[in-house]
Amino acid sequence: MLELCKLLDINVNELLSAKKIIKESYNEQAEENLLEMRREIESQNKKILTLNRIITFLGVVIYVLILLAVIFIEIPMVIRNIIIALALVMLLLFGVFNLNIIRKTGYYECQECKHQYIPTFNQMFFGMSGITKGGIWQIKCPNCNKKCWHKKVLTKINEK
Ligand SMILES: [Zn+2]
């Protein structure tokens, strides 16, 4: 057997377990696939968040334009009030919709225990958003029960 190994320039282990070699390359491929998946999820989620920011900005601009229009255009008071009320309801629904998109894109990581999960809408709504470090919320973690900062992570697949 040793002679054969020497002849083939491989070790006994490799001779005995042709499967092992196949398995190793299989693992490498699986790892590569996982990284590829991670990159795809990350870039997809980044696109969703960017689009959401643009939509939020446009929504606020439209809202301000509606308010300016009803202030400066001469219309009966009743109609003016109805338009303002409708615009407020629209803005509220719009905010809920946007917050839900932010909530469901990727995960939030507890900075205390590193637990990664998707918070409920209420947790997000009553949490504080950090403006300086985008995507940071103060939520009570369901894993360690501490109210602490949560960081947005785009994917659960970890980098090696
Ligand atoms: Zn935690």
PDB file of all heavy atoms in Angstrom, residues 63-77 79-81 83-84 87:
ATOM      1  N   TYR A  63     -46.011  65.812   0.995  1.00  0.00           N
ATOM      2  CA  TYR A  63     -46.807  66.262   2.144  1.00  0.00           C
ATOM      3  C   TYR A  63     -46.657  67.778   2.366  1.00  0.00           C
ATOM      4  O   TYR A  63     -47.633  68.495   2.540  1.00  0.00           O
ATOM      5  CB  TYR A  63     -46.374  65.496   3.396  1.00  0.00           C
ATOM      6  CG  TYR A  63     -47.144  65.892   4.624  1.00  0.00           C
ATOM      7  CD1 TYR A  63     -48.480  65.516   4.778  1.00  0.00           C
ATOM      8  CD2 TYR A  63     -46.554  66.656   5.633  1.00  0.00           C
ATOM      9  CE1 TYR A  63     -49.196  65.885   5.895  1.00  0.00           C
ATOM     10  CE2 TYR A  63     -47.263  67.021   6.755  1.00  0.00           C
ATOM     11  CZ  TYR A  63     -48.581  66.639   6.879  1.00  0.00           C
ATOM     12  OH  TYR A  63     -49.297  67.012   7.985  1.00  0.00           O
ATOM     13  N   VAL A  64     -45.422  68.251   2.328  1.00  0.00           N
ATOM     14  CA  VAL A  64     -45.166  69.686   2.515  1.00  0.00           C
ATOM     15  C   VAL A  64     -45.820  70.496   1.390  1.00  0.00           C
ATOM     16  O   VAL A  64     -46.424  71.540   1.632  1.00  0.00           O
ATOM     17  CB  VAL A  64     -43.636  69.966   2.589  1.00  0.00           C
ATOM     18  CG1 VAL A  64     -43.353  71.467   2.551  1.00  0.00           C
ATOM     19  CG2 VAL A  64     -43.048  69.357   3.861  1.00  0.00           C
ATOM     20  N   LEU A  65     -45.736  69.974   0.165  1.00  0.00           N
ATOM     21  CA  LEU A  65     -46.342  70.659  -0.984  1.00  0.00           C
ATOM     22  C   LEU A  65     -47.860  70.765  -0.817  1.00  0.00           C
ATOM     23  O   LEU A  65     -48.460  71.807  -1.100  1.00  0.00           O
ATOM     24  CB  LEU A  65     -46.002  69.936  -2.292  1.00  0.00           C
ATOM     25  CG  LEU A  65     -44.561  70.095  -2.791  1.00  0.00           C
ATOM     26  CD1 LEU A  65     -44.346  69.299  -4.075  1.00  0.00           C
ATOM     27  CD2 LEU A  65     -44.222  71.574  -3.040  1.00  0.00           C
ATOM     28  N   ILE A  66     -48.480  69.679  -0.332  1.00  0.00           N
ATOM     29  CA  ILE A  66     -49.935  69.693  -0.107  1.00  0.00           C
ATOM     30  C   ILE A  66     -50.285  70.767   0.932  1.00  0.00           C
ATOM     31  O   ILE A  66     -51.199  71.574   0.746  1.00  0.00           O
ATOM     32  CB  ILE A  66     -50.451  68.297   0.351  1.00  0.00           C
ATOM     33  CG1 ILE A  66     -50.366  67.291  -0.805  1.00  0.00           C
ATOM     34  CG2 ILE A  66     -51.903  68.390   0.852  1.00  0.00           C
ATOM     35  CD1 ILE A  66     -50.653  65.855  -0.404  1.00  0.00           C
ATOM     36  N   LEU A  67     -49.510  70.791   2.035  1.00  0.00           N
ATOM     37  CA  LEU A  67     -49.757  71.783   3.090  1.00  0.00           C
ATOM     38  C   LEU A  67     -49.606  73.210   2.561  1.00  0.00           C
ATOM     39  O   LEU A  67     -50.454  74.074   2.820  1.00  0.00           O
ATOM     40  CB  LEU A  67     -48.809  71.566   4.269  1.00  0.00           C
ATOM     41  CG  LEU A  67     -49.156  70.436   5.224  1.00  0.00           C
ATOM     42  CD1 LEU A  67     -48.248  70.473   6.443  1.00  0.00           C
ATOM     43  CD2 LEU A  67     -50.615  70.475   5.660  1.00  0.00           C
ATOM     44  N   LEU A  68     -48.535  73.445   1.798  1.00  0.00           N
ATOM     45  CA  LEU A  68     -48.302  74.783   1.232  1.00  0.00           C
ATOM     46  C   LEU A  68     -49.434  75.161   0.292  1.00  0.00           C
ATOM     47  O   LEU A  68     -49.912  76.309   0.305  1.00  0.00           O
ATOM     48  CB  LEU A  68     -46.963  74.821   0.486  1.00  0.00           C
ATOM     49  CG  LEU A  68     -45.710  74.832   1.358  1.00  0.00           C
ATOM     50  CD1 LEU A  68     -44.462  74.788   0.493  1.00  0.00           C
ATOM     51  CD2 LEU A  68     -45.680  76.067   2.272  1.00  0.00           C
ATOM     52  N   ALA A  69     -49.893  74.180  -0.509  1.00  0.00           N
ATOM     53  CA  ALA A  69     -50.961  74.433  -1.473  1.00  0.00           C
ATOM     54  C   ALA A  69     -52.238  74.875  -0.764  1.00  0.00           C
ATOM     55  O   ALA A  69     -52.849  75.881  -1.144  1.00  0.00           O
ATOM     56  CB  ALA A  69     -51.217  73.184  -2.312  1.00  0.00           C
ATOM     57  N   VAL A  70     -52.644  74.149   0.299  1.00  0.00           N
ATOM     58  CA  VAL A  70     -53.899  74.506   0.972  1.00  0.00           C
ATOM     59  C   VAL A  70     -53.761  75.810   1.769  1.00  0.00           C
ATOM     60  O   VAL A  70     -54.756  76.473   2.040  1.00  0.00           O
ATOM     61  CB  VAL A  70     -54.459  73.385   1.890  1.00  0.00           C
ATOM     62  CG1 VAL A  70     -54.927  72.209   1.064  1.00  0.00           C
ATOM     63  CG2 VAL A  70     -53.447  72.955   2.935  1.00  0.00           C
ATOM     64  N   ILE A  71     -52.530  76.165   2.126  1.00  0.00           N
ATOM     65  CA  ILE A  71     -52.351  77.413   2.865  1.00  0.00           C
ATOM     66  C   ILE A  71     -52.449  78.609   1.913  1.00  0.00           C
ATOM     67  O   ILE A  71     -53.091  79.611   2.206  1.00  0.00           O
ATOM     68  CB  ILE A  71     -51.000  77.414   3.632  1.00  0.00           C
ATOM     69  CG1 ILE A  71     -51.091  76.456   4.841  1.00  0.00           C
ATOM     70  CG2 ILE A  71     -50.650  78.832   4.120  1.00  0.00           C
ATOM     71  CD1 ILE A  71     -49.755  76.144   5.498  1.00  0.00           C
ATOM     72  N   PHE A  72     -51.811  78.453   0.735  1.00  0.00           N
ATOM     73  CA  PHE A  72     -51.727  79.605  -0.161  1.00  0.00           C
ATOM     74  C   PHE A  72     -52.824  79.704  -1.218  1.00  0.00           C
ATOM     75  O   PHE A  72     -53.034  80.763  -1.785  1.00  0.00           O
ATOM     76  CB  PHE A  72     -50.345  79.661  -0.830  1.00  0.00           C
ATOM     77  CG  PHE A  72     -49.260  80.003   0.157  1.00  0.00           C
ATOM     78  CD1 PHE A  72     -48.337  79.063   0.587  1.00  0.00           C
ATOM     79  CD2 PHE A  72     -49.190  81.299   0.683  1.00  0.00           C
ATOM     80  CE1 PHE A  72     -47.353  79.387   1.516  1.00  0.00           C
ATOM     81  CE2 PHE A  72     -48.211  81.628   1.607  1.00  0.00           C
ATOM     82  CZ  PHE A  72     -47.287  80.675   2.024  1.00  0.00           C
ATOM     83  N   ILE A  73     -53.508  78.572  -1.488  1.00  0.00           N
ATOM     84  CA  ILE A  73     -54.595  78.638  -2.470  1.00  0.00           C
ATOM     85  C   ILE A  73     -55.899  78.945  -1.723  1.00  0.00           C
ATOM     86  O   ILE A  73     -56.181  78.352  -0.684  1.00  0.00           O
ATOM     87  CB  ILE A  73     -54.709  77.313  -3.262  1.00  0.00           C
ATOM     88  CG1 ILE A  73     -53.417  77.072  -4.070  1.00  0.00           C
ATOM     89  CG2 ILE A  73     -55.916  77.358  -4.208  1.00  0.00           C
ATOM     90  CD1 ILE A  73     -53.302  75.677  -4.652  1.00  0.00           C
ATOM     91  N   GLU A  74     -56.647  79.879  -2.256  1.00  0.00           N
ATOM     92  CA  GLU A  74     -57.909  80.271  -1.603  1.00  0.00           C
ATOM     93  C   GLU A  74     -58.973  79.201  -1.805  1.00  0.00           C
ATOM     94  O   GLU A  74     -59.479  78.996  -2.897  1.00  0.00           O
ATOM     95  CB  GLU A  74     -58.395  81.610  -2.182  1.00  0.00           C
ATOM     96  CG  GLU A  74     -57.527  82.774  -1.742  1.00  0.00           C
ATOM     97  CD  GLU A  74     -58.307  83.779  -0.891  1.00  0.00           C
ATOM     98  OE1 GLU A  74     -59.552  83.636  -0.802  1.00  0.00           O
ATOM     99  OE2 GLU A  74     -57.673  84.680  -0.317  1.00  0.00           O
ATOM    100  N   ILE A  75     -59.306  78.476  -0.735  1.00  0.00           N
ATOM    101  CA  ILE A  75     -60.384  77.480  -0.783  1.00  0.00           C
ATOM    102  C   ILE A  75     -61.179  77.581   0.511  1.00  0.00           C
ATOM    103  O   ILE A  75     -60.665  78.074   1.524  1.00  0.00           O
ATOM    104  CB  ILE A  75     -59.837  76.028  -0.946  1.00  0.00           C
ATOM    105  CG1 ILE A  75     -58.585  75.806  -0.069  1.00  0.00           C
ATOM    106  CG2 ILE A  75     -59.582  75.690  -2.399  1.00  0.00           C
ATOM    107  CD1 ILE A  75     -58.143  74.362   0.012  1.00  0.00           C
ATOM    108  N   PRO A  76     -62.436  77.092   0.470  1.00  0.00           N
ATOM    109  CA  PRO A  76     -63.247  77.145   1.696  1.00  0.00           C
ATOM    110  C   PRO A  76     -62.567  76.418   2.857  1.00  0.00           C
ATOM    111  O   PRO A  76     -61.876  75.417   2.651  1.00  0.00           O
ATOM    112  CB  PRO A  76     -64.541  76.428   1.299  1.00  0.00           C
ATOM    113  CG  PRO A  76     -64.572  76.487  -0.181  1.00  0.00           C
ATOM    114  CD  PRO A  76     -63.160  76.536  -0.655  1.00  0.00           C
ATOM    115  N   MET A  77     -62.768  76.941   4.069  1.00  0.00           N
ATOM    116  CA  MET A  77     -62.146  76.399   5.278  1.00  0.00           C
ATOM    117  C   MET A  77     -62.407  74.912   5.465  1.00  0.00           C
ATOM    118  O   MET A  77     -61.499  74.163   5.846  1.00  0.00           O
ATOM    119  CB  MET A  77     -62.675  77.199   6.483  1.00  0.00           C
ATOM    120  CG  MET A  77     -61.804  77.114   7.704  1.00  0.00           C
ATOM    121  SD  MET A  77     -60.081  77.502   7.377  1.00  0.00           S
ATOM    122  CE  MET A  77     -59.727  78.597   8.722  1.00  0.00           C
ATOM    123  N   ILE A  79     -63.082  72.524   3.256  1.00  0.00           N
ATOM    124  CA  ILE A  79     -62.297  71.707   2.317  1.00  0.00           C
ATOM    125  C   ILE A  79     -60.823  71.726   2.724  1.00  0.00           C
ATOM    126  O   ILE A  79     -60.150  70.690   2.723  1.00  0.00           O
ATOM    127  CB  ILE A  79     -62.482  72.228   0.866  1.00  0.00           C
ATOM    128  CG1 ILE A  79     -63.923  71.973   0.427  1.00  0.00           C
ATOM    129  CG2 ILE A  79     -61.510  71.529  -0.083  1.00  0.00           C
ATOM    130  CD1 ILE A  79     -64.302  72.594  -0.886  1.00  0.00           C
ATOM    131  N   ARG A  80     -60.346  72.880   3.151  1.00  0.00           N
ATOM    132  CA  ARG A  80     -58.952  73.003   3.590  1.00  0.00           C
ATOM    133  C   ARG A  80     -58.678  72.048   4.758  1.00  0.00           C
ATOM    134  O   ARG A  80     -57.690  71.308   4.753  1.00  0.00           O
ATOM    135  CB  ARG A  80     -58.687  74.446   4.019  1.00  0.00           C
ATOM    136  CG  ARG A  80     -57.270  74.672   4.512  1.00  0.00           C
ATOM    137  CD  ARG A  80     -57.029  76.118   4.843  1.00  0.00           C
ATOM    138  NE  ARG A  80     -57.037  76.946   3.630  1.00  0.00           N
ATOM    139  CZ  ARG A  80     -56.947  78.270   3.643  1.00  0.00           C
ATOM    140  NH1 ARG A  80     -56.888  78.917   4.792  1.00  0.00           N
ATOM    141  NH2 ARG A  80     -56.934  78.958   2.529  1.00  0.00           N
ATOM    142  N   ASN A  81     -59.606  72.033   5.730  1.00  0.00           N
ATOM    143  CA  ASN A  81     -59.437  71.153   6.894  1.00  0.00           C
ATOM    144  C   ASN A  81     -59.481  69.680   6.513  1.00  0.00           C
ATOM    145  O   ASN A  81     -58.724  68.869   7.050  1.00  0.00           O
ATOM    146  CB  ASN A  81     -60.498  71.460   7.956  1.00  0.00           C
ATOM    147  CG  ASN A  81     -60.204  72.781   8.648  1.00  0.00           C
ATOM    148  OD1 ASN A  81     -59.088  73.301   8.555  1.00  0.00           O
ATOM    149  ND2 ASN A  81     -61.203  73.332   9.322  1.00  0.00           N
ATOM    150  N   ILE A  83     -58.667  68.374   3.630  1.00  0.00           N
ATOM    151  CA  ILE A  83     -57.419  68.048   2.926  1.00  0.00           C
ATOM    152  C   ILE A  83     -56.269  67.874   3.925  1.00  0.00           C
ATOM    153  O   ILE A  83     -55.495  66.908   3.840  1.00  0.00           O
ATOM    154  CB  ILE A  83     -57.065  69.123   1.868  1.00  0.00           C
ATOM    155  CG1 ILE A  83     -58.071  69.063   0.710  1.00  0.00           C
ATOM    156  CG2 ILE A  83     -55.646  68.904   1.327  1.00  0.00           C
ATOM    157  CD1 ILE A  83     -57.951  70.182  -0.292  1.00  0.00           C
ATOM    158  N   ILE A  84     -56.188  68.772   4.907  1.00  0.00           N
ATOM    159  CA  ILE A  84     -55.123  68.664   5.920  1.00  0.00           C
ATOM    160  C   ILE A  84     -55.259  67.370   6.719  1.00  0.00           C
ATOM    161  O   ILE A  84     -54.278  66.652   6.949  1.00  0.00           O
ATOM    162  CB  ILE A  84     -55.126  69.899   6.862  1.00  0.00           C
ATOM    163  CG1 ILE A  84     -54.649  71.137   6.075  1.00  0.00           C
ATOM    164  CG2 ILE A  84     -54.216  69.678   8.074  1.00  0.00           C
ATOM    165  CD1 ILE A  84     -54.714  72.441   6.846  1.00  0.00           C
ATOM    166  N   ALA A  87     -54.280  64.436   4.541  1.00  0.00           N
ATOM    167  CA  ALA A  87     -52.830  64.424   4.361  1.00  0.00           C
ATOM    168  C   ALA A  87     -52.134  63.867   5.604  1.00  0.00           C
ATOM    169  O   ALA A  87     -51.164  63.125   5.496  1.00  0.00           O
ATOM    170  CB  ALA A  87     -52.322  65.828   4.054  1.00  0.00           C
TER     171      ALA A  87
END
